[in-house]
Amino acid sequence: MEKKILEIKNLTKTYGELTALNSFSLSLEKGEILGLLGPNGAGKTTMISILSGIVKDFSGTVTFKNENLFSNRELKNYMGIVPQDMAFYEDLNAMENLMFWGGLYNLPNSTLKKRAAQLLELVELGTRAKEPIKNFSGGMKRRLNIAIGLIHNPELLLLDEPTVGIDVQAKVNILDIIKNVGEQGTAVIFTTHQLAEVEQICSRIVIMDKGTLLAQGTMDELIRIVGGKEMVDVEGEFSANHFSEIIKNQNHQGIEILSVSDNLANLAFDNTDLIPSMMEQLFKNQIVVSDLKIKSPNLEAVFLKLTGRSLRD
Amino acid sequence: MKRILLIIKNDVKRRIKSPLGILLFLLIPIVMTAIIGMIFSPRAGNAQLPPIKIILVDNDKSLGSKFFTGAFDTKEIKDLFQVTMAEENEGKRLISKGKASALIIIPAKFTDDLSNQKKTTIHLIKNPSEEFLPGIVEEFVNTMGIVISGFVQVFEPEIKIMKKFTDMDLENLSIPEATPFLEAMKTKFLSLKKFTSPMLIELKKETSATDKKKKEPEFNLFALIMPGMLVMFLLFVVEGIMREILADKENGILQRMMFSPLRIMDFIISRIFSGFVVGVLMFWIAVVIGALLFEIKWGNYWYLFILIALTSFWAASFFALLNAFFKNRNQAAAFSAPIILVFSAFGGSMLPLEQIPAQMRWVSTITLNHWFITGAIKIGSNEFPIVPLLVLFILGVILFILAVISLNRRIKI
Ligand SMILES: Nc1ncnc2c1ncn2[C@@H]1O[C@H](COP(=O)(O)OP(=O)(O)OP(=O)(O)O)[C@@H](O)[C@H]1O
Ligand SMILES: [Mg+2]
């Protein structure tokens, strides 16, 4: 059985001068949960929008279930998309919404009914199925929003920032749902700003910025990018320029600046023994260090190394 | 097809789930019909209405006819009618030229026949190009007929006596001389209320230069007002549904629909038919209410069904087309209301067509209101309204095609 379900090749999308996606390639297998990680403006939404048919006029190819995704309308029956903004009829209840949205796909009515009931259990809205959506909390609405994307039992599910703007409990809830969906064999791509989320549930992670894929792999594979280095965060009273000048001028072998801003620097050390000599240099240059943290290698470090900026702007 | 039906079903279901908006739009025309019907009802004789021109031919020139013509001379009635006395031939010439709304001919021997308890007939010739105003005249003459009939039956002896004084100058009749009469008249006046005997005066109605054999249905003022009110509020309801094209586009619903194999074209067609279905439903509820509450005889219900279907279709297509050119919901709301009001003003929903200046009347022919009202009135008088139906059908199809094409082109998800 063919395992590959999606193959994206050389996707390029420009808005005037701006290149939102730059020769982006990616492939996905059944049951994989892929986290698409990137800072603001990286091109995540653009990617999802091309796949869902909203954004047109791009170059490159997308093969879905061994067919050109854009040549066969019926392929949409196998793809579920959860838009970032909630989109459903608030004047209908959850069950009615699922029946309506599911009805747009090729499903017999009896299957649809069963599936709707199952999904309502999955997103923990089983007891609220007949209640007006107006009474729903933000988290409940988000769960319904996801359920609607799953109603036709798609083979590929796309979610754009499904956890933005909700409380911790609701977030955990949604991640559980996504994990569950993946376990049932549906391939998932979801975009996020949150490192913790991808660490928790993704089988594979893609890091992108400025429209370009920077790295991909499992957690372990990605962390190897920063090697056996130690991560050090330095906080104090300094300007970004001054700080990097000092580190560079002292020609510190084995210290790498991952990112630096005023009053905060993220460094990678080959060896923590180098820390005292760095502190000495900083002291000589009248820089007061207020805090210094040593961390083991993590995804954040990988991200910093690749993009030079933090995820949360 | 399955998807189109699904969307229509969903749209209609959503309307029915929160029916307040539609009920309101249903209630308003009914209440307005009731109010206007009562204000303009000829029994009330209201000064708001510009005087209706009528020509009165008195071939009797006697007590009874004087009583009749005198009725047009009372203060309240004067505001309602502008009466011109004429000879019969001259009167007929004027009405055929459309110089008045109606011609009333009081036959010779009117008084004699009345006092001899013989049936007599007042002729009413209506201006064929008008529907509304001659109706009022008709109603008025009818009422007068009833009053005079009853009066004559009750006051028969007095009239006979007075007939004997025909040569006398009635205006110089002195009160003392008339006192015995007045006493008797007072008692009889009280019994007049109870009169139920058959009517002596029969009203013979004609519409000038049209088929005279055709049996005309009973005149009902509400039947003239309600179609106009109804179509105006149908426009509001259907416009609201069509505006949801923009709403769905703005709040991501349309985009989400496009994630499925649905085509934009399917969506547009579904939405137009949603407007159509809701329009038809609303219409029929109103038709039933009109029949029950105002005793409107709508005429052949199959004809009415066709008329209602075509009207709803026209309205849905028209507003779908408009929405192709609006940027957002607010813009649609801002433009639609004035359009509906202009349609209603010129199309006969607010005032009868004959009250609109002649040089402006052509505007009505481009309004839905005009064609629906004309059609409804024709059906009410048991005709098949072929012209209105054809116009609505042809324009409806053109609007539908234009709407689908332009929306398909302009909706970008
Ligand atoms: N319709 C558009 N017109 C012009 N530029 C656009 C348009 N949509 C996106 N862009 C630009 O393309 C780039 C990628 O945007 P995109 O929305 O894909 O980023 P993102 O990774 O989803 O960011 P975020 O995390 O903020 O959601 C950005 O620079 C954005 O300004
Ligand atoms: Mg985005």
Side-chain angles (χ1 to χ4, degrees):
Chain A
M1 200 175 84
E2 174 74 68
K3 282 203 82 186
K4 190 183 281 179
I5 185 161
L6 181 76
E7 170 112 62
I8 297 169
K9 271 199 185 137
N10 302 322
L11 269 195
T12 299
K13 170 71 193 174
T14 54
Y15 292 109
E17 297 282 282
L18 190 132
T19 306
L21 269 188
N22 190 2
S23 196
F24 193 96
S25 299
L26 182 73
S27 72
L28 195 69
E29 289 181 1
K30 283 179 185 162
E32 261 193 296
I33 300 182
L34 182 100
L36 202 55
L37 203 56
N40 288 121
K44 305 181 295 292
T45 299
T46 305
M47 235 287 285
I48 299 280
S49 302
I50 289 177
L51 293 181
S52 50
I54 296 167
V55 164
K56 296 177 180 101
D57 303 321
F58 53 85
S59 67
T61 58
V62 179
T63 311
F64 179 53
K65 287 171 72 72
N66 299 319
E67 267 191 85
N68 178 355
L69 174 63
F70 308 108
S71 68
N72 183 357
R73 182 169 288 276
E74 292 305 315
L75 281 176
K76 293 183 173 194
N77 281 310
Y78 306 100
M79 195 185 280
I81 297 148
V82 178
Q84 184 174 346
D85 296 317
M86 272 156 301
F88 43 72
Y89 286 113
E90 298 239 354
D91 46 2
L92 298 179
N93 63 38
M95 189 66 182
E96 288 168 327
N97 262 295
L98 284 170
M99 292 302 287
F100 170 71
W101 293 102
L104 293 172
Y105 296 88
N106 296 343
L107 277 184
N109 233 26
S110 53
T111 316
L112 186 56
K113 266 196 196 118
K114 247 182 269 161
R115 177 84 187 149
Q118 270 173 18
L119 273 177
L120 286 170
E121 290 305 321
L122 176 71
V123 300
E124 292 170 29
L125 290 173
T127 54
R128 322 278 302 248
K130 298 256 153 75
E131 227 177 276
I133 291 178
K134 279 167 239 154
N135 302 350
F136 278 18
S137 70
M140 290 165 75
K141 284 184 186 175
R142 279 205 176 269
R143 292 192 323 255
L144 175 64
N145 201 36
I146 293 175
I148 292 172
L150 284 165
I151 183 67
H152 52 298
N153 204 2
E155 293 180 26
L156 171 65
L157 179 69
L158 307 175
L159 304 102
D160 195 5
E161 314 235 13
T163 56
V164 156
I166 47 173
D167 61 58
V168 180
Q169 182 51 43
K171 206 174 276 189
V172 170
N173 232 318
I174 283 173
L175 291 177
D176 280 347
I177 294 171
I178 295 175
K179 205 167 165 187
N180 202 311
V181 167
E183 279 162 9
Q184 286 168 24
T186 300
V188 180
I189 299 182
F190 81 98
T191 73
T192 182
H193 283 121
Q194 306 278 323
L195 287 166
E197 291 181 359
V198 286
E199 284 173 5
Q200 249 173 289
I201 62 165
C202 290
S203 53
R204 193 149 56 100
I205 298 159
V206 165
I207 296 177
M208 67 184 296
D209 192 17
K210 301 192 175 87
T212 311
L213 187 148
L214 299 174
Q216 62 169 315
T218 60
M219 272 287 282
D220 291 342
E221 285 167 353
L222 286 178
I223 285 172
R224 245 172 265 147
I225 293 175
V226 283
K229 297 185 179 185
E230 306 286 342
M231 302 301 128
V232 178
D233 292 353
V234 182
E235 266 180 69
E237 283 165 30
F238 51 78
S239 73
N241 281 341
H242 192 201
F243 189 92
S244 33
E245 226 169 80
I246 295 161
I247 301 293
K248 279 175 195 150
N249 285 351
Q250 294 311 310
N251 197 15
H252 266 108
Q253 291 294 325
I255 303 180
E256 189 185 347
I257 302 175
L258 296 176
S259 80
V260 59
S261 57
D262 290 345
N263 305 329
L264 176 67
N266 307 102
L267 310 172
F269 282 66
D270 287 348
N271 188 332
T272 40
D273 294 349
L274 294 167
I275 293 176
S277 68
M278 177 195 72
M279 292 298 284
E280 203 178 277
Q281 289 300 327
L282 293 175
F283 185 72
K284 272 185 193 160
N285 286 281
Q286 276 101 45
I287 286 179
V288 182
V289 172
S290 57
D291 195 10
L292 188 140
K293 281 193 205 107
I294 303 172
K295 302 187 283 190
S296 54
N298 60 10
L299 202 53
E300 190 174 2
V302 179
F303 194 85
L304 283 169
K305 181 174 168 63
L306 289 172
T307 66
R309 50 184 176 143
S310 161
L311 265 172
R312 283 155 292 223
D313 284 350
Chain B
M1 196 60 197
K2 174 197 155 210
R3 296 186 181 107
I4 293 181
L5 289 178
L6 178 77
I7 294 177
I8 297 174
K9 202 178 101 189
N10 192 53
D11 282 349
V12 175
K13 182 175 170 185
R14 286 177 51 227
R15 295 290 130 175
I16 294 173
K17 270 195 102 172
S18 41
L20 216 65
I22 289 191
L23 284 186
L24 199 66
F25 277 123
L26 201 60
L27 204 66
I28 295 172
I30 289 167
V31 170
M32 280 178 77
T33 302
I35 293 172
I36 297 176
M38 283 187 282
I39 290 174
F40 282 87
S41 168
R43 287 179 198 91
N46 188 278
Q48 300 308 108
L49 198 71
I52 302 167
K53 290 183 188 143
I54 49 178
I55 302 164
L56 201 54
V57 175
D58 184 359
N59 289 334
D60 181 37
K61 296 202 175 63
S62 179
L63 190 66
S65 70
K66 287 245 169 61
F67 184 81
F68 190 89
T69 52
F72 284 99
D73 220 22
T74 54
K75 163 99 190 44
E76 290 81 5
I77 308 294
K78 252 187 180 163
D79 294 333
L80 191 58
F81 300 112
Q82 182 192 322
V83 183
T84 313
M85 300 297 295
E87 288 306 318
E88 184 160 350
N89 289 337
E90 173 67 2
K92 282 184 172 161
R93 196 181 65 80
L94 288 173
I95 192 79
S96 66
K97 282 184 146 184
K99 295 281 189 209
S101 294
L103 168 70
I104 300 169
I105 303 172
I106 301 168
K109 301 220 170 187
F110 180 71
T111 313
D112 279 352
D113 288 348
L114 276 181
S115 52
N116 293 326
Q117 303 273 320
K118 269 170 66 187
K119 271 207 177 218
T120 177
T121 303
I122 293 176
H123 281 248
L124 175 73
I125 301 176
K126 295 192 281 181
N127 182 343
S129 63
E130 299 178 3
E131 289 283 356
F132 183 76
L133 300 180
I136 294 180
V137 178
E138 184 180 329
E139 181 82 338
F140 182 76
V141 173
N142 243 330
T143 312
M144 284 299 303
I146 294 169
V147 171
I148 296 175
S149 285
F151 193 84
V152 165
Q153 281 168 43
V154 178
F155 296 93
E156 189 221 320
E158 286 83 354
I159 289 175
K160 278 203 171 135
I161 295 166
M162 283 171 86
K163 262 295 284 181
K164 289 177 186 150
F165 299 115
T166 311
D167 296 333
M168 255 176 68
D169 191 350
L170 286 176
E171 276 165 23
N172 291 338
L173 197 73
S174 71
I175 298 295
E177 274 175 75
T179 307
F181 285 120
L182 293 176
E183 269 312 307
M185 275 166 80
K186 199 175 112 191
T187 15
K188 290 188 177 180
F189 231 112
L190 296 171
S191 57
L192 182 65
K193 287 182 193 157
K194 297 175 196 145
F195 104 94
T196 45
S197 41
M199 279 179 63
L200 285 176
I201 301 176
E202 193 179 62
L203 180 65
K204 188 171 175 195
K205 293 163 286 179
E206 287 170 23
T207 298
S208 149
T210 53
D211 188 3
K212 287 176 190 166
K213 274 174 279 173
K214 201 165 53 206
K215 192 184 165 289
E216 286 212 33
E218 222 172 286
F219 173 74
N220 180 342
L221 190 56
F222 296 115
L224 290 179
I225 300 166
M226 192 160 181
M229 286 295 135
L230 204 48
V231 69
M232 175 160 119
F233 285 93
L234 169 95
L235 287 173
F236 278 111
V237 168
V238 172
E239 191 274 326
I241 295 171
M242 291 304 118
R243 208 192 304 163
E244 294 229 335
I245 292 177
L246 295 176
D248 282 353
K249 195 175 124 186
E250 280 164 40
N251 57 29
I253 296 257
L254 178 60
Q255 191 176 74
R256 188 165 212 165
M257 285 185 188
M258 290 304 121
F259 294 158
S260 80
L262 185 83
R263 290 169 307 168
I264 288 242
M265 186 78 94
D266 298 336
F267 170 74
I268 298 166
I269 292 172
S270 321
R271 205 26 79 71
I272 294 177
F273 277 97
S274 300
F276 165 79
V277 171
V278 173
V280 168
L281 283 180
M282 177 189 157
F283 250 129
W284 276 108
I285 296 173
V287 162
V288 171
I289 293 176
L292 296 179
L293 202 62
F294 303 128
E295 297 172 346
I296 295 175
K297 299 202 170 45
W298 292 98
N300 185 314
Y301 280 98
W302 288 110
Y303 298 171
L304 193 64
F305 181 81
I306 301 172
L307 179 70
I308 283 173
L310 289 178
T311 303
S312 303
F313 180 66
W314 191 105
S317 301
F318 176 76
F319 285 110
L321 178 61
L322 277 190
N323 276 301
F325 298 99
F326 294 141
K327 280 200 191 68
N328 52 50
R329 261 183 292 178
N330 294 339
Q331 205 181 47
F335 277 91
S336 298
I339 290 173
I340 293 174
L341 292 177
V342 167
F343 265 28
S344 302
F346 286 98
S349 280
M350 293 176 173
L351 60 168
L353 188 58
E354 43 266 36
Q355 296 293 315
I356 296 170
Q359 60 272 28
M360 299 291 277
R361 279 184 208 170
W362 64 270
V363 179
S364 75
T365 56
I366 60 162
T367 68
L368 177 67
N369 306 55
H370 171 75
W371 294 110
F372 176 75
I373 295 169
T374 317
I377 289 174
K378 281 225 156 70
I379 292 173
S381 51
N382 290 321
E383 285 175 58
F384 182 69
I386 183 74
V387 176
L389 290 185
L390 267 180
V391 171
L392 288 175
F393 176 73
I394 293 168
L395 283 180
V397 169
I398 293 173
L399 286 171
F400 178 78
I401 293 169
L402 288 179
V404 172
I405 292 174
S406 39
L407 276 172
N408 198 33
R409 224 188 267 161
R410 295 184 66 111
I411 292 184
K412 295 268 182 300
I413 50 158

